[in-house]
Every structure is written in C-alpha cells, then in structure tokens.
Amino acid sequence: RDLPDPAAFYRAALQELIRVTKPGGSIVLLTAQKELLDLLVVEHQRELRTERQYDVLVAGRKARVVKLRRTA
C-alpha cells in the first residue's frame, strides 16, 4: 500500500482545521514536518498566524509544537 503524500495530507488537514476554527481561535499542532508546515502557513497567511513554536524531542526524534491563531 502506498503511503499518502505528506504535503497533500498536511494541506487537507490544515484546510479542515481552518474551516472548523472560528476567527480568534487557536490551533495547536505537533509535527515532525517543520519546514512543510511553515510553507503551508505562509500559503494561508490570510487565515493563520503563528503565535508560538517550541522545538521538542518525541521518542528521541526532533519535532515542533506550533500554536496558530485563526485570523479571518
């Protein structure tokens, strides 16, 4: 079985999170795909703003916790 394309998965997930989060609401994500998430947030800069980022280790692997704010 083929694995899903991470960019397509993240893009669809982010679009759904934007859809269900009211303006002013927060979205908190944990990701190992730091650069990909950064690019997608830039694509949605009208709807999202990054408020905080924390680099963490999860089971010894580098990851990031990101808090986004729904702006529009």
Side-chain angles (χ1 to χ4, degrees):
R1 184 175 147 190
D2 290 331
L3 294 175
D5 172 37
F9 171 80
Y10 272 78
R11 186 170 279 111
L14 201 55
Q15 288 172 342
E16 185 65 10
L17 287 166
I18 290 167
R19 187 184 74 78
V20 301
T21 305
K22 67 180 180 178
S26 296
I27 299 169
V28 178
L29 300 172
L30 171 66
T31 183
Q33 300 284 331
K34 299 182 274 187
E35 293 81 12
L36 175 58
L37 185 59
D38 289 344
L39 289 172
L40 292 174
V41 169
V42 169
E43 284 182 14
H44 293 282
Q45 63 187 349
R46 290 187 63 228
E47 298 98 0
L48 293 174
R49 181 181 79 232
T50 301
E51 287 200 335
R52 294 192 182 259
Q53 298 184 63
Y54 302 96
D55 289 327
V56 296
L57 292 176
V58 177
R61 294 181 181 230
K62 293 180 180 181
R64 181 175 289 158
V65 176
V66 180
K67 180 181 178 188
L68 304 170
R69 178 73 61 192
R70 174 83 157 77
T71 57

